[in-house]
Amino acid sequence: AGGGRLLDKICKWYYNAAGFNKYGLMRDDILHEDDDVKEALKRLPEHLYNERVFRIKRALDLSLKHQILPKDQWVKYEEDHRYLEPYLKEVIRERQEREAWNKK
């Protein structure tokens, strides 16, 4: 049990050290957009996609101004959810199925 708490503290430290949350971004906002991620983004519900676009545009604006959000607006580790992950897993599974089928 103690090891889990230590790991959680390390994860929180790393999350905050990465700095993207200071711009209001979530982990899934900063994924490298390879073909799988691009396809997963196409499958996002419109409201999730629009929220992502807003966060990215705001972060770009803040970065250009050499500013960060006030601390009370930073995305907290506990509040960050992997909104793209289910769609990305589905895309990867489908691609792997297709690749396996094409090998036959």
Side-chain angles (χ1 to χ4, degrees), residues 14 20 23 28 30 32 46-47 56-57 65 72 99:
Y14 183 77
F20 58 84
Y23 293 96
D28 284 356
I30 63 168
H32 173 71
E46 187 176 2
H47 74 281
I56 292 172
K57 284 183 176 184
K65 295 176 181 176
D72 64 329
E99 289 170 355

Side-chain angles (χ1 to χ4, degrees), residues 31-43 84-96 98-99:
L31 290 175
H32 173 71
E33 289 192 21
D34 61 13
D35 290 338
D36 290 338
V37 172
K38 288 177 184 176
E39 179 60 32
L41 288 171
K42 291 178 186 176
R43 298 178 184 196
L84 191 60
E85 189 173 23
Y87 303 95
L88 187 55
K89 282 182 178 180
E90 181 180 318
V91 167
I92 291 169
R93 183 186 54 75
E94 289 173 3
R95 178 180 46 79
Q96 289 171 339
R98 222 175 10 260
E99 289 170 355

Side-chain angles (χ1 to χ4, degrees), residues 15 19-31 33 41 44-64 67-69 73-76 79-85:
Y15 182 86
F20 58 84
N21 64 321
K22 297 172 184 167
Y23 293 96
L25 295 171
M26 296 179 149
R27 285 176 286 197
D28 284 356
D29 295 337
I30 63 168
L31 290 175
E33 289 192 21
L41 288 171
L44 274 178
E46 187 176 2
H47 74 281
L48 289 177
Y49 182 80
N50 289 341
E51 289 170 5
R52 172 191 166 88
V53 169
F54 171 79
R55 288 190 302 271
I56 292 172
K57 284 183 176 184
R58 178 180 57 186
L60 287 170
D61 184 55
L62 288 166
S63 179
L64 288 171
Q67 297 175 350
I68 59 173
L69 290 171
Q73 294 181 31
W74 293 3
V75 177
K76 293 168 190 60
E79 296 170 354
D80 191 333
H81 62 283
R82 307 298 294 257
Y83 64 89
L84 191 60
E85 189 173 23

